[in-house]
Amino acid sequence: MFFVSLLIEGSLAGLLYALVATAFVVVYKASRVINFALGEWVMVAAILVAMGNNVLGLGLAGALAFGCIGMAVLAWVFNTIALNRLVGQPLIAVLMVTLGLGVLLRGLGQLLFSDVPRDIPLPLPTEPFVLAGLYVPGDKLAAAALAAVATALMAWFMQRSRSGVALRAIADDQKVAMALGIDVNRYVTLAWCLSGALCVMAGSLWTFIIGSGFGMGLVGLKIFPIVIIGGLDSIGGAIIAAVMIGLIESLATGYLEPILGSGCGLLAAYIALIVMLTVRPYGLFGERRVDRV
């Protein structure tokens, strides 16, 4: 029963990881930018929702809308001021900019929003459910269900909507997409805004389950193994890898931490990452790109 309970906990955590990983993949598919500030984006999104609900008194719906608008503004400013000026520059320059953005957001968050109450009350059940004799936390189950729905909707949007088709065309070849009349800058900005909206959902659910805090920025450390194992440009791969990492972390925490100490869950995830990079560097469902010269 202990093993089954660990599997359930890992699966529920994996669905939440999948939501954040999808935010990463959406940006990478459109702009080929690896957002190392993803954890800080989730942190800022949660702070904005908490401020809208607890300080501005907008109510839950208004607070979520306020968070989405704030993240859209952040995405537009970052894309306009930073990324557009780095077109054609070495990849390391873009990576360093996202790292710098993460440090900046963490510092500004502590400086400007340290007094903002962090709780986000969501109308979700908190009573545990009894499943095959096991008690499953109601809040985690409801949050995982919402995360799964949001992830599925984003996957549908990328596959079926007109904007999703344009984003996938940009991901395949930006020059050809521009030749076909697609406004690359507008759609790349849209991808960053969608990523921000997903961070709002993820930050709100994360806060509801485990509480908020500036340490939420560390969630990005859990996401990078997921997106690399699943494939940097595959939403389906990110979902499968997120559940896998959730299970690995849960089992390592349950069985190894009592023996080896804390941190085994995160360590096990990075061991899985190293194995994947050795066996299949482009991930489970990532595209193997061949450059012809």
Side-chain angles (χ1 to χ4, degrees), residues 2-266:
F2 179 66
F3 175 75
V4 176
S5 67
L6 290 178
L7 292 182
I8 294 175
E9 285 282 338
S11 299
L12 297 181
L15 291 175
L16 284 175
Y17 291 160
L19 183 60
V20 186
T22 301
F24 182 101
V25 173
V26 167
V27 166
Y28 182 80
K29 283 180 69 69
S31 61
R32 296 302 179 194
V33 173
I34 298 176
N35 184 13
F36 281 107
L38 184 63
E40 285 75 17
W41 277 60
V42 176
M43 179 197 72
V44 171
I47 291 176
L48 290 175
V49 175
M51 184 171 68
N53 185 70
N54 301 324
V55 178
L56 302 179
L58 300 177
L60 179 58
L64 291 173
F66 177 76
C68 290
I69 293 172
M71 294 304 295
V73 171
L74 174 62
W76 179 81
V77 170
F78 180 61
N79 188 62
T80 302
I81 295 179
L83 294 184
N84 286 348
R85 300 176 183 272
L86 293 175
V87 175
Q89 298 299 316
L91 178 61
I92 186 63
V94 181
L95 298 181
M96 293 304 296
V97 165
T98 61
L99 284 172
L101 175 65
V103 175
L104 176 65
L105 291 178
R106 195 180 307 117
L108 288 178
Q110 294 176 344
L111 180 65
L112 301 177
F113 304 108
S114 58
D115 297 331
V116 175
R118 301 299 173 79
D119 60 305
I120 302 177
L122 299 179
L124 299 178
T126 57
E127 295 296 325
F129 291 88
V130 180
L131 181 63
L134 293 173
Y135 285 91
V136 181
D139 54 352
K140 291 185 178 181
L141 184 61
L146 287 177
V149 171
T151 304
L153 288 175
M154 183 55 63
W156 177 88
F157 176 84
M158 293 296 295
Q159 290 293 328
R160 300 297 182 183
S161 70
R162 184 181 181 88
S163 297
V165 173
L167 288 172
R168 288 192 287 118
I170 293 172
D172 288 338
D173 194 316
Q174 287 194 4
K175 293 182 180 179
V176 173
M178 292 176 65
L180 294 174
I182 297 176
D183 189 340
V184 173
N185 288 334
R186 181 163 69 93
Y187 279 104
V188 169
T189 302
L190 173 63
W192 281 89
C193 291
L194 291 174
S195 177
L198 291 175
C199 288
V200 168
M201 174 69 75
S204 300
L205 294 176
W206 210 283
T207 301
F208 177 71
I209 294 176
I210 64 174
S212 182
F214 295 108
M216 188 181 292
L218 298 177
V219 70
L221 296 177
K222 297 177 178 288
I223 300 305
F224 295 134
I226 291 172
V227 295
I228 294 176
I229 290 174
L232 286 170
D233 52 3
S234 173
I235 293 180
I239 297 172
I240 295 174
V243 176
M244 288 174 53
I245 291 299
L247 292 173
I248 291 173
E249 281 191 347
S250 180
L251 293 173
T253 300
Y255 287 109
L256 296 182
E257 284 197 357
I259 302 173
L260 303 178
S262 62
C264 289
L266 185 59

